[in-house]
Amino acid sequence: MPESVVDPVDTVTEVPVAVVGAGPAGLMLAHRLGRAGVAAVAVDLRTREEIATTHRAGILEADAARDLVETGVSDRILREGHEHEGTELRFGGRAHRIDFRALVGASVWLYPQTEVFTDLADARERDGGTVHFGVRDTEVLDAATDRPRVRFTAADGTRHELRARYVVGADGSRSTCRGLVPEALRTRYGTEYPFAWFGVLVRAPASAPELVYAHSEHGFALISQRTESVQRMYFQCGPDERTEDWPDERIWETLQARVAGADGFRLAEGPVLERSVLRFRSFVQEPMRWGSLLLAGDAAHTVPPTGARGLNLALHDVKVLAGVLLRALGGEGEAALADYQPLALRRIWRAQHFSSWMTRLLHTAPGATPFELRRQLGELDSVVATRAGRAYLAEQYTGWPTAA
Ligand code: PHB
């Protein structure tokens, strides 16, 4: 019996690349391919509104910021983003600035992921790219063959099938695509952390001109910004912490204690607009390709947010992947795909190391001994006290050149 009788679809679309996941990685990939004249259709289980209002990290490497502008996504980042030429580490109650510009001639941009997503979704719409948000029952079929398909139910209830040459799984940290790689062929590397971040959006003026990463005996805190009147802050909490146990006063008391010091630094307070607990882990799945399926971004690897690497890594993956797919579709064939993993993976493992190092450097493990706390202060001191230490942090945090 022909399959269409078993599970009829309302439309069948032939498209070179089908992308599962329409977050920043999936949309940037579709955008890059579209610019080169190769169509890509993206689908996502979440509605556009859901993605646009899920608060995520906020730091873009200068190269990623420039790519948004130069590939024609949008130049809004130049007007509404903030270029940061350094960051602050606080420990032992004192501030230590890491001057990215002076140390490694680099900078980063504070521009929230939600804005990157909005720019990309707008650009897809402007350029006539197809994106189906709010779909259900997504299924990738025949990924091992050279005629992979993606089936899904659109938000209006109609059934669709994409017949592609390649399928990209850019479906985030809870990826279902990565599970398609047979267990016997894949390896998953990872580690868990005994803490999470409590993230808040607050209505208050900025407390500092740049990000503040604070180590204290009470745990880690990160002070970030959003707009003149809205700020983003995080503090280390237990992985099972519940937001309902955290009234505004308790949040402020916790944050103030973690940044307090002899210099009298205090955060400007205001009402808490949103609160959430963010669990994280370090994770990589290899290989990043199986047959006609390629994994990109969080679907293939996740990092703790401490090093601000996640979004940057995802954007780097799709930059490399777009080049490889264009070569494959442009006549080189499948052989070109062999370049994807080695080019992406080197940066992925560097970012895994840096993210995990920053996390361990700044967080207080539950039950940490006085020795461990002092050892951490020794490590922090050795980072800030020498030019080599500061330059190491600056170099990792601001990113590495694109793999060619
Ligand atoms: C943020 O602004 O949300 C942010 C910035 C830096 C990080 C993580 C989150 O490392």
Side-chain angles (χ1 to χ4, degrees):
M1 205 173 7
E3 202 163 87
S4 56
V5 176
V6 178
D7 180 10
V9 291
D10 298 301
T11 71
V12 170
T13 307
E14 300 269 348
V15 67
V17 180
V19 186
V20 181
L27 292 186
M28 188 63 178
L29 178 71
H31 174 75
R32 285 185 176 278
L33 294 174
R35 263 171 59 83
V38 169
V41 173
V43 302
D44 201 297
L45 299 173
R46 299 162 298 173
T47 64
R48 183 173 166 161
E49 175 70 13
E50 268 164 27
I51 307 177
T53 54
T54 304
H55 296 289
R56 304 290 297 269
I59 292 287
L60 274 187
E61 292 168 10
D63 281 0
R66 201 186 49 230
D67 283 352
L68 284 180
V69 178
E70 287 184 357
T71 66
V73 174
S74 169
D75 61 3
R76 197 160 62 95
I77 187 169
L78 301 177
R79 286 174 274 118
E80 298 178 23
H82 296 274
E83 188 175 18
H84 285 188
E85 302 202 329
T87 195
E88 189 176 297
L89 288 188
R90 270 188 84 76
F91 60 91
R94 288 187 48 213
H96 306 266
R97 184 161 188 267
I98 308 291
D99 187 333
F100 302 150
R101 179 68 69 205
L103 289 159
V104 294
S107 65
V108 295
W109 286 75
L110 180 66
Y111 190 64
Q113 178 163 333
T114 43
E115 304 305 319
V116 175
F117 167 77
T118 296
D119 288 347
L120 283 163
D122 285 348
R124 284 285 69 206
E125 212 168 293
R126 176 197 70 204
D127 298 345
T130 306
V131 183
H132 297 272
F133 290 106
V135 308
R136 288 177 278 128
D137 315 322
T138 311
E139 238 186 320
V140 178
L141 303 164
D142 305 330
T145 74
D146 58 7
R147 296 296 293 151
R149 294 175 291 149
V150 176
R151 288 187 151 205
F152 63 94
T153 306
D156 65 2
T158 53
R159 293 278 298 152
H160 300 267
E161 179 170 301
L162 305 173
R163 292 189 183 159
R165 178 60 196 88
Y166 296 108
V167 173
V168 174
D171 51 344
S173 57
R174 284 182 226 123
S175 172
T176 53
C177 286
R178 68 172 167 241
L180 296 172
V181 183
E183 223 173 308
L185 299 182
R186 72 182 186 221
T187 308
R188 293 181 167 177
Y189 304 92
T191 188
E192 308 274 336
Y193 299 84
F195 35 73
W197 278 11
F198 198 105
V200 292
L201 266 187
V202 301
R203 183 168 304 288
S207 294
E210 294 172 341
L211 269 58
V212 178
Y213 287 84
H215 170 278
S216 84
E217 59 183 308
H218 310 292
F220 169 75
L222 169 60
I223 311 308
S224 182
Q225 300 88 20
R226 285 298 179 262
T227 65
E228 247 173 59
S229 56
V230 175
Q231 313 307 325
R232 182 76 166 145
M233 302 180 190
Y234 306 88
F235 58 87
Q236 174 187 344
C237 67
D240 298 317
E241 206 62 66
R242 297 168 347 147
T243 50
E244 49 276 33
D245 295 335
W246 288 84
D248 289 21
E249 310 75 63
R250 187 175 176 209
I251 289 173
W252 284 117
E253 213 176 286
T254 302
L255 281 165
Q256 297 288 13
R258 294 187 187 190
V259 302
D263 58 3
F265 180 64
R266 287 206 42 96
L267 301 166
E269 299 186 9
V272 176
L273 307 173
E274 244 193 74
R275 60 199 83 203
S276 56
V277 173
L278 303 119
R279 291 169 166 232
F280 50 80
R281 61 182 178 148
S282 295
F283 171 84
V284 180
Q285 173 169 307
E286 294 177 30
M288 295 171 75
R289 173 201 166 198
W290 177 62
S292 298
L293 172 73
L294 297 118
L295 301 174
D298 276 13
H301 47 79
T302 58
V303 288
T306 326
R309 300 289 75 214
L311 173 59
N312 293 295
L313 213 48
L315 293 174
H316 183 263
D317 279 1
V318 299
K319 188 171 187 173
V320 171
L321 183 54
V324 164
L325 284 172
L326 291 172
R327 279 169 48 207
L329 291 162
E332 266 186 61
E334 275 200 58
L337 300 187
D339 288 344
Y340 174 48
Q341 175 164 313
L343 289 176
L345 214 51
R346 183 161 182 221
R347 191 183 183 98
I348 290 166
W349 279 109
R350 283 183 173 193
Q352 287 292 345
H353 166 66
F354 178 65
S355 304
S356 136
W357 175 74
M358 276 282 274
T359 302
R360 292 171 211 273
L361 179 71
L362 291 162
H363 291 68
T364 314
T369 60
F371 170 82
E372 179 51 24
L373 272 174
R374 278 161 184 75
R375 186 207 60 77
Q376 249 180 342
L377 291 171
E379 186 175 6
L380 282 158
D381 189 29
S382 65
V383 171
V384 303
T386 65
R387 186 181 166 90
R390 292 192 302 275
Y392 174 75
L393 196 151
E395 206 163 61
Q396 310 293 306
Y397 191 92
T398 54
W400 306 278
T402 303

